Amino acid sequence: MTGRTPPADLTVDGTGLLCVTLLLRLRQEIDGAEPGTVVHVVTTDPAAPLDLPAWCHMTGHHYLGAVGAESHSVHALRLTAGARATRPDAPWHRAGPQG
């Protein structure tokens, strides 16, 4: 990411959580947040640098990149209006009719 990462409006602590649980927590924490909200996600999951951008791509939120060089991995994203919903029990799947 070029430039400076915006400060967090909301921080989600996913320390010790793996991808599935991290995305469940993230989805719960951002529920009701306004478009434009900058979210910093703190994670120790080594897959987060791949999973978070992929989840943002799927939902339509903007992945802003890694933040600084801290002991935990911190990633920033900006919530968008009209983001695609995901299933409450499976945040890696888009919400929609079950078939």
Side-chain angles (χ1 to χ4, degrees):
M1 175 178 163
T2 59
R4 204 171 84 96
T5 304
D9 298 311
L10 173 66
T11 299
V12 176
D13 185 2
T15 303
L17 303 178
L18 296 178
C19 175
V20 173
T21 310
L22 174 65
L23 291 178
L24 286 168
R25 178 168 294 169
L26 174 59
R27 187 182 183 284
Q28 178 182 19
E29 297 270 340
I30 65 172
D31 188 38
E34 295 292 320
T37 298
V38 174
V39 181
H40 284 192
V41 181
V42 179
T43 179
T44 52
D45 182 358
L50 300 173
D51 293 339
L52 288 171
W55 184 80
C56 286
H57 178 75
M58 181 187 73
T59 60
H61 295 303
H62 294 285
Y63 180 73
L64 302 176
V67 178
E70 300 180 17
S71 61
H72 294 293
S73 181
V74 180
H75 300 269
L77 55 103
R78 185 183 311 273
L79 304 182
T80 60
R84 293 176 289 280
T86 59
R87 290 181 20 202
D89 62 331
W92 56 95
H93 293 289
R94 290 187 181 150
Q98 303 297 314

